[in-house]
Each structure stands twice: as C-alpha cells, then as structure tokens.
Amino acid sequence: MPVTLVASWVLPARWRNGLVAVVSLLFYTWGAGPYTVLLLSAIAVNYAAGLAVDSVRLRQRPRARRGMLIATVGWDLAILGVWKYGGFASRQIDALSSALGLGHSPIVSLALPIGISFFTFHHLSYVVDVYRDSRPAQRSLVGFVTYIAMFPQLIAGPIVRYHEISDQLATTGRDRFGDFAAGFPRFALGLAKKVIVADTIAPVADAAFAHAGGQINTPTAWLAALAYTVQIYFDFSGYSDMAIGLGTMLGFRLPENFNRPYSAYSVTDFWRRWHMSLSRWFRDYVYIPLGGNRGGTLNTYRNLLIIFVLCGFWHGANWTFLVWGLYHGGLLVAERLLGWDRPPAGVPATVLRRAATFLLVVVGWVFFRAETMTEALGVLQAMFSWQPGELDEFASFALDHQRTLTFALALTVVLLPASLTLGPLIESGRGRMAGVVRAAMTWVAAPYAAVLVAAGTFSPFLYYQF
C-alpha cells in the first residue's frame, strides 16, 4: 500500500490506471499463486465479450447481442459454479447415492480462488451494463483490469457495478493531497474497527461456538451469538472502510457498503444498510429482471425469496448459508404481509422495532456462523430454552477484562443514534468535531492499530473466505 501510494504521487497522473492494474495483479498473484491464470482468463473473455457486444450493437443485431450476453454470463457462472460449488454438489450426490444403496460417488475437492465471488460479480455487471447501453465497452485493457482487479476491493468488496466507476477510469486528473486527506482517516477508521474491535472479539466468538455441536448452555449460546454479531459487523465494515479510504487515496470513489445496519427498524431496512453493494447488485441484475414488484403480490414474494436464496448461497456452499438466505427472505415477505416494512411512528415504536429487528438479525447470524445445521439448531435451542450452567470454560477464559470492555463498548456503539457515532463525522468532513475525529483517527487510532498488527498474529478478514 505505501509503495503504491508513493508511486501514485510521483508518477504522471495518466499512469494511475496502469499502476493500479500492475500492483493489483501482483497483489493477487502473491496471495493466489497459480489461480491468477483463472482471473486472467476471466478478464480476457469478458473484455473481448464487452467489445463484441458493443460492436454488434452498432450493427443493430439484437439477437446476436443477446446470444453473446448469454454465452458470457454462462461462462462467468460456470467458473463460479465449478470452483465454488463443485465440491458441495459432489458431496450431496455422494450422500444421495449412498442413501439409495448405490455406493459412493467421486467427491470433488477444489481450493476456492481468492475473491472469486467478487470478481465474478464485477464481470457480470460489466457485460450486462454494456448490453443495456448504460455504459459503452471499456476500450482500454488497462482500464478494464483496473476495474476488475483493483486491489483495495478485490478480496471482499464493496461490489462495484461498472456504471459506478466507468467515468472515473477515464478521469485521471485529481487533487492528490486532497484525496489522501479525505481517504486516510476513513482507512484508519476501518483499520481500527478490524484490529482493535473485531480481532479482539473474535476469540470470544470462536471459543463460544467451539462446542456448539454438543451441549451448550444458555449464557454461552447468547455470548456466542452476540459476540459474532459484533465481530462480523466491525470486521466487514472495517474492510469496507479500508477499501473505500484506500480507493479515495488513489483517486477512486467506491460505493458505500454499510449504513449502521443494527439501527434498522425492520429486516427490510436492515438490507438497505448491510452489505449495500451486494443488495444493489442483486436488485439491478436479478430482482428487477425477474419483474421486481411489478407482477403482483405473489410474484413479488417469489422474487424476494429467489433473491435471498441466491444471496445466501453466494456466501458459501453450505446448507447453513442457504437456510440463512431463506430465513431473511421469509422475514422480508412476512414484513410486507404485515406492513412492518414501513417506518414506525413515534419513538417508542421505533425503539421496539429496532430491538425486535436486532434480535432477528442475531438469530440469523447463528446460521451464518455455525459449521453445520446441527450446531446452529443447538445454539438456538440453548438461546430460547433455558439450559442452565455458567459460561463455557474456554469462552470464560477468552472473555478477559480487555475483551469484556471492548465487547460492551462495541455493542453500545452499534446501538447508539447515528448522531453520536464517529462514522458520519468522518464521512461528512464538516465542522470542528469532524476535524477532531479525523485527526484522532489519523494520529491515534491508526498508529495504535498498526502496533497491534505488528505485535499480533495473522487474522484474515471474515469475507476473505467468500
């Protein structure tokens, strides 16, 4: 990162895209090794497809354009399907074959290439946007590689739709000092979220979930669910802040990904605030093409369920993710039926709705975190039917004084009104208090987090696995 930033300041502005493209491919090769060939082949196919779809448009051949789109989308989904879901599918076939008395079938075992879910969705966004004529094809191969492989967001997002960044790829003139001044405090905030909060809470969640497959008592079950609720928010939103801040320092404005999701008054509102770039992607490229809410009530409910089944399965090839997606999709349908997707009236109703929504989200995270459905159901049973006992000894050992304080403060922060939290102040950049907060992030939080990184052990981001 520091080498790239220095180079971006020293080199001519017109070299920015080339610099970002080269260092991004080096970054990916460093982490993914031979799987870089897979990324490069996907880049080559989609770059050529975008040019072909654009050229056919000029010759007014709609059927040929549609055929090219279908073929390219099929290629991208095939890559994702084979590498991410091939092993899962082979295990299900083996289980079914054994149950029917037909013996065992071969099981596929493939390593998951880094960031495959994210760069596949970027490719799909590109070819669809070009097909829809919302943006012309990217003529510059360097610009296209910059979009797909941009290292700040390559591993875990935000998911950048092509029409959000295409104009930025063509504009290299910028205020380099202003970009750094705007981006570094945001990067520092994300680093602090990840290192100071998420990594501190992670051992607590891991210890509490460690025995979820066996007997788990009620205090340990609630600790597991709440600790993971805090961990995943600060980990993933921290990554997004770091990506957005680093992108800003390089002259790119990446889309926001979080907007205080635990302040939501409904599950519908939660999905307007959580992983917003994924929600917008599914809305633009799946929900609306399916008909959205234009085909009547039943079709709307069907489309919502389809979206959330896909959203759950996108996160991982496991039944727990599928159930998590169905759970959220079912809640959205129920809210529409009951009219709870609309904002509540008055403070008491808002407080009650926020509390109920937070509880529902916490329950959902149990499915998301558990390794198996048996583990998830065991934790949920302990949460909602009293299982006596003290905290599990491993969880109790992990929950030392520092982690207890960090956990309590983090849980308080996510439930505070937005006006009392740091994120909006850093993002606005207006007023004396905003300046104080930005200075604190730059000169206090970032150095402290850097010291923790240097003194600690490797701790990957949670969404690294997707």
Side-chain angles (χ1 to χ4, degrees):
M1 182 189 79
V3 171
T4 304
L5 287 174
V6 170
S8 72
W9 297 330
V10 172
L11 296 175
R14 66 180 183 278
W15 290 15
R16 180 198 61 177
N17 289 354
L19 171 68
V20 173
V22 169
V23 298
S24 296
L25 291 178
L26 290 173
F27 172 79
Y28 193 81
T29 303
W30 186 277
Y35 292 106
T36 306
V37 175
L38 183 66
L39 172 63
L40 291 175
S41 64
I43 286 174
V45 168
N46 283 272
Y47 174 70
L51 294 176
V53 168
D54 217 19
S55 65
V56 171
R57 173 184 61 83
L58 297 176
R59 294 196 292 267
Q60 298 183 346
R61 295 168 57 189
R63 293 182 63 182
R65 292 185 77 226
R66 185 175 180 83
M68 290 179 183
L69 173 69
I70 292 172
T72 308
V73 169
W75 160 269
D76 290 330
L77 293 180
I79 289 179
L80 185 63
V82 168
W83 291 98
K84 189 165 185 174
Y85 305 106
F88 175 78
S90 67
R91 290 192 297 272
Q92 308 315 307
I93 293 172
D94 176 64
L96 179 61
S97 178
S98 299
L100 295 175
L102 301 176
H104 290 283
S105 61
I107 295 180
V108 176
S109 181
L110 295 172
L112 186 64
I114 297 172
I116 188 170
S117 298
F118 291 92
F119 70 69
T120 298
F121 270 28
H122 285 156
H123 282 133
L124 292 171
S125 170
Y126 171 70
V127 294
V128 173
D129 281 358
V130 172
Y131 174 80
R132 291 175 173 174
D133 295 331
S134 62
R135 289 294 186 277
Q138 178 60 240
R139 302 288 171 181
S140 168
L141 179 59
V142 171
F144 186 69
V145 173
T146 301
Y147 164 55
I148 297 296
M150 188 187 299
F151 75 92
Q153 50 76 43
L154 176 61
I155 292 176
I159 298 172
V160 185
R161 295 166 294 173
Y162 179 62
H163 62 263
E164 293 176 309
I165 202 171
S166 61
D167 293 339
Q168 298 182 50
L169 294 170
T171 305
T172 55
R174 58 194 179 91
D175 177 5
R176 302 185 197 197
F177 180 79
D179 287 342
F180 183 83
F184 188 80
R186 184 69 180 274
F187 177 87
L189 173 64
L191 185 64
K193 281 182 175 181
K194 164 63 178 170
V195 177
I196 299 174
V197 181
D199 285 356
T200 301
I201 302 301
V204 179
D206 292 343
F209 268 101
H211 302 288
Q215 286 294 105
I216 183 171
N217 58 53
T218 298
T220 303
W222 275 102
L223 176 64
L226 289 172
Y228 187 70
T229 297
V230 170
Q231 180 197 359
I232 193 171
Y233 169 70
F234 280 92
D235 191 287
F236 191 23
S237 70
Y239 183 98
S240 296
D241 286 334
M242 291 170 71
I244 292 168
L246 182 50
T248 300
M249 286 187 274
L250 293 170
F252 296 101
R253 298 300 183 263
L254 303 181
E256 294 294 334
N257 215 20
F258 289 89
N259 181 21
R260 295 188 49 76
Y262 296 151
S263 298
Y265 57 80
S266 67
V267 177
T268 302
D269 188 38
F270 172 80
W271 279 102
R272 297 189 189 108
R273 298 166 174 263
W274 176 274
H275 203 348
M276 297 187 295
S277 64
L278 179 67
S279 300
R280 290 187 293 257
W281 193 97
F282 272 112
R283 179 197 65 197
D284 288 355
Y285 303 116
V286 183
Y287 182 70
I288 292 176
L290 284 174
N293 56 5
R294 301 188 304 274
T297 302
L298 291 179
N299 286 337
T300 299
Y301 297 160
R302 178 206 65 189
N303 295 340
L304 285 172
L305 289 174
I306 289 174
I307 289 300
F308 277 92
V309 167
L310 294 175
C311 180
F313 220 40
W314 176 86
H315 281 85
N318 197 324
W319 290 112
T320 54
F321 293 115
L322 182 62
V323 171
W324 175 76
L326 277 170
Y327 170 77
H328 275 273
L331 288 175
L332 260 69
V333 170
E335 286 183 348
R336 292 205 174 203
L337 285 169
L338 299 172
W340 290 353
D341 56 324
R342 294 186 288 274
V347 174
T350 300
V351 172
L352 289 174
R353 290 272 297 276
R354 279 190 63 184
T357 301
F358 182 72
L359 176 61
L360 292 172
V361 170
V362 169
V363 169
W365 287 137
V366 174
F367 290 109
F368 196 89
R369 171 60 176 80
E371 298 289 336
T372 65
M373 284 300 300
T374 301
E375 288 186 10
L377 294 175
V379 173
L380 291 173
Q381 181 181 5
M383 287 171 65
F384 295 103
S385 64
W386 178 253
Q387 306 293 324
E390 298 181 352
L391 284 179
D392 178 273
E393 60 175 321
F394 294 103
S396 181
F397 176 77
L399 196 63
D400 58 21
H401 293 300
Q402 178 192 358
R403 292 191 179 114
T404 300
L405 179 61
T406 303
F407 184 29
L409 290 174
L411 195 57
T412 301
V413 164
V414 299
L415 298 175
L416 283 173
S419 59
L420 299 178
T421 54
L422 301 181
L425 288 173
I426 290 178
E427 292 163 23
S428 70
R430 295 187 297 271
R432 181 176 300 175
M433 183 57 68
V436 172
V437 170
R438 291 168 71 88
M441 287 294 106
T442 302
W443 302 109
V444 180
Y448 178 59
V451 169
L452 293 179
V453 170
T457 57
F458 176 67
S459 178
F461 290 93
L462 290 178
Y463 264 65
Y464 176 86
Q465 62 188 298
F466 305 130

